[in-house]
Amino acid sequence: MPPAPHLQTSHSGRTARAQAHAEFQRFRDSGDHQHLGAVYQLMRRELTQTAEHVLDDPHFAEDLVQTAFLQARSFAASFDADRPLRPWLLRVVKNRSRNFRRAFRHSLPLTAVPEQRRAAAEQHQPERQCMMAETV
């Protein structure tokens, strides 16, 4: 008799997490971004779901996960390889999501139309403000 579906998912989830951990270590050791790309492909869905749960917007969630990976790339040297990668990445995504909500909670409610929230977020980007100031 084959294992129950939830056990298959659990096993494949553990396998994917182990693969992601190994790929991240390879990235950390070699600096080869293909390994980080492999981690992204293995973890993207779970991290995006986490961000979407906090932000309630799939577009912001995807952007936030990409930004979280940039942060993970920057702090790869400080990652403790003896600890699991998944909780570390989830914490980065959760913290960034909460910071985003906190930063924009006064400008627009999160129940606003996603396009309105995206426009408000774009107005609050420091890089964009600097570029606009230089063109005036």
Side-chain angles (χ1 to χ4, degrees):
M1 176 184 333
H6 71 280
L7 293 177
Q8 290 175 340
T9 302
S10 175
H11 175 69
S12 66
R14 273 185 297 212
T15 302
R17 287 192 291 267
Q19 278 182 294
H21 188 90
E23 289 291 338
F24 193 77
Q25 285 182 297
R26 288 185 195 108
F27 164 70
R28 195 183 71 180
D29 295 341
S30 70
D32 184 347
H33 286 90
Q34 286 184 345
H35 296 295
L36 188 62
V39 175
Y40 181 79
Q41 290 304 318
L42 290 164
M43 300 290 299
R44 180 180 58 88
R45 177 179 285 163
E46 181 179 10
L47 297 174
T48 302
Q49 288 173 342
T50 300
E52 191 173 342
H53 177 75
V54 177
L55 299 174
D56 197 31
D57 184 297
H59 302 291
F60 278 135
E62 288 178 27
D63 292 344
L64 191 130
V65 169
Q66 291 173 7
T67 305
F69 265 85
L70 292 174
Q71 183 177 355
R73 182 187 72 187
S74 299
F75 291 100
S78 67
F79 173 68
D80 180 359
D82 294 331
R83 301 186 70 158
L85 175 67
R86 180 180 172 268
W88 186 68
L89 286 175
L90 283 169
R91 179 57 49 204
V92 170
V93 167
K94 287 177 185 177
N95 288 343
R96 292 191 71 81
S97 298
R98 288 182 185 128
N99 290 343
F100 183 85
R101 278 185 67 115
R102 196 175 305 125
F104 294 106
R105 73 174 167 226
H106 298 295
S107 62
L108 264 177
L110 287 176
T111 56
V113 177
E115 291 79 22
Q116 291 173 324
R117 292 196 336 241
R118 193 171 305 108
E122 287 173 359
Q123 289 176 356
H124 289 35
Q125 292 178 348
E127 298 88 10
R128 183 176 170 84
Q129 290 174 351
C130 288
M131 287 175 34
M132 296 300 285
E134 289 177 3
T135 59
V136 174

